[in-house]
Amino acid sequence: MKKALITGITGQDGAYLADFLLKKGYKVHGLKRRSSLFNTARIDHLFAPERNPDNQFTFSYGDLTDATNMTRIIQDFQPDEIYNLAAQSHVKVSFDTPEYTGNADGLGTLRLLEALRILGMNEARIYQASTSELFGKVQETPQRETTPFYPRSPYGVAKLYAYWITVNYREAYGMHASNGILFNHESPIRGETFVTRKITRAAANIALGIQSKVSLGNLNSIRDWGHAEDFVRAMWMILQQDEPDDYVIATGVGTTVREFVQKAFACIGMDIVFRGEGVDEIGVLDSIDGELFEREAGSSPDHLKPGQTIVRVDPFYFRPTEVDLLLGDPTKAREKLGWEPVRTLDDLVRDMMKSDMRTTRQAKHLREGGFKIFQCVEDVL
């Protein structure tokens, strides 16, 4: 039985990857940061009903900023594969917390690699979660493994260090250490402060009369969005190769934030058109497919009127340095790994909208039953 250690186990990718590996017969141990919130909702279904030594899924508390604890966990578990997914992964937040982002995302990767070297565990295979934010101010489109890096945020810069230290330990110590340069990947369990999930949650809330409009940042940003379940499969495939290497994982399809908004609302029969430019641009409800709306929302659209402003631009969500275009070329992954995404962007948007409509309806019923809903302040692209 293979053993895999996953850092960042409670995140979107950690949850999907753990489920994927358990189905393949792995024993999986996750690493989770300690906080006042338990934060295990994404992985609760993976736990065995009773605690016993034969459980195939376990987790412990740890942090990439704590080298001694991470070294102890690796020594105790003796993993065959390590998937380093832990990070402060919100780009805009990295401008507010640059030092912590550099410590966790950059030096954290070094601590993990150095722990393996000190323990003499050079046979363990390491996957480092790199990111399309490495490309930043892109030098060519689409971006591939040979495209020069030009990160435009503290997050991207920290991940640049993590990328190159992974390459360095591979070359210096013969480690099977690989980088997966993953472009944007989303799902129904994507964090609620990321732009795609903010949009789908807002669409559900607007449809059910919980909020009236949504505020977004740069509507012109183009991203290559795929489904997280497809992308974690690529992580595993990378570590099954005889030789370590670095791979771009992407769909090859670019979509603006504006287009993502239109696709999300279209899933519930709301046609959104955009008017104006720059900070004055707004998204307006043009028409409603009443039959589709009632089927998806479970109610009539009487509270919505054509001409109503649904989307507005708020400069608060602009980044100090923007990344306008990220579009990946997955040719190497397709030819060497045999990997291709199974789900299209439309599949992804429908999946997210169905999930958020369901959970929003449930939340509304609770509120109408006397429970108060607290809505988080969200950040965005």
Side-chain angles (χ1 to χ4, degrees), residues 197-218:
R197 187 74 196 290
K198 177 174 182 178
I199 291 167
T200 58
R201 286 185 68 241
N205 285 338
I206 291 167
L208 295 173
I210 296 172
Q211 70 184 77
S212 60
K213 62 175 68 71
V214 60
S215 299
L216 300 173
N218 184 3

Side-chain angles (χ1 to χ4, degrees), residues 298-332:
S299 62
S300 66
D302 293 342
H303 62 289
L304 298 167
K305 305 298 179 185
Q308 177 179 338
T309 297
I310 299 296
V311 181
R312 72 181 185 93
V313 173
D314 186 344
F316 172 80
Y317 297 115
F318 293 166
R319 299 174 184 173
T321 44
E322 287 284 352
V323 175
D324 297 316
L325 168 63
L326 291 175
L327 178 63
D329 178 1
T331 299
K332 181 178 177 180

Side-chain angles (χ1 to χ4, degrees), residues 346-376:
D346 288 340
D347 294 334
L348 168 65
V349 177
R350 281 194 297 269
D351 196 13
M352 295 177 70
M353 278 304 306
K354 284 185 179 297
S355 174
D356 277 326
M357 286 300 299
R358 181 173 60 253
T359 55
T360 304
R361 283 195 301 267
Q362 293 169 349
K364 185 178 182 182
H365 291 326
L366 286 175
R367 185 180 67 173
E368 291 171 346
F371 293 90
K372 186 175 181 181
I373 296 176
F374 292 90
Q375 191 167 333
C376 294

Side-chain angles (χ1 to χ4, degrees), residues 15-163:
Y16 279 125
L17 180 62
D19 188 56
F20 177 85
L21 294 176
L22 288 167
K23 289 174 179 175
K24 285 195 168 292
Y26 278 66
K27 186 177 182 67
V28 175
H29 188 78
L31 203 61
K32 174 189 182 303
R33 279 184 303 179
R34 173 73 178 97
S35 72
S36 58
L37 299 176
F38 201 50
N39 188 32
T40 60
R42 293 185 177 111
I43 58 173
D44 283 343
H45 66 288
L46 303 178
F47 289 99
E50 297 179 359
R51 186 174 301 168
N52 65 71
D54 295 325
N55 286 349
Q56 302 312 308
F57 177 71
T58 54
F59 83 93
S60 57
Y61 292 104
D63 195 301
L64 292 181
T65 63
D66 183 353
T68 54
N69 190 42
M70 185 162 55
T71 303
R72 177 187 57 79
I73 290 169
I74 292 172
Q75 185 176 38
D76 290 347
F77 187 61
Q78 293 287 307
D80 301 291
E81 298 173 0
I82 297 177
Y83 297 85
N84 185 31
L85 311 184
Q88 191 299 101
S89 60
H90 200 288
V91 175
K92 189 174 187 303
V93 171
S94 76
F95 285 98
D96 300 322
T97 59
E99 182 180 343
Y100 174 76
T101 301
N103 192 7
D105 299 11
L107 292 178
T109 302
L110 170 64
R111 293 184 185 103
L112 188 152
L113 292 165
E114 185 66 0
L116 291 170
R117 188 187 71 82
I118 291 170
L119 293 170
M121 294 178 58
N122 285 26
E123 297 303 312
R125 299 189 173 195
I126 308 107
Y127 171 85
Q128 168 59 25
S130 287
T131 170
S132 58
E133 291 288 334
L134 293 175
F135 297 116
K137 191 174 181 179
V138 298
Q139 308 298 295
E140 63 179 10
T141 300
Q143 293 90 56
R144 50 186 62 88
E145 291 81 5
T146 56
T147 301
F149 296 138
Y150 194 150
R152 299 265 285 171
S153 66
Y155 169 74
V157 172
K159 283 289 191 175
L160 182 65
Y161 178 86
Y163 174 93

Side-chain angles (χ1 to χ4, degrees), residues 228-240:
E229 285 192 282
D230 285 333
F231 281 47
V232 299
R233 176 166 47 88
M235 297 176 188
W236 175 78
M237 296 174 80
I238 288 171
L239 290 199
Q240 308 319 301

Side-chain angles (χ1 to χ4, degrees), residues 259-288:
E259 291 168 327
F260 194 99
V261 169
Q262 291 174 316
K263 287 178 179 293
F265 280 91
C267 288
I268 50 177
M270 297 174 63
D271 181 26
I272 306 297
V273 296
F274 285 86
R275 300 171 184 167
E277 296 181 357
V279 296
D280 297 321
E281 184 172 4
I282 57 173
V284 174
L285 178 60
D286 188 54
S287 62
I288 304 174

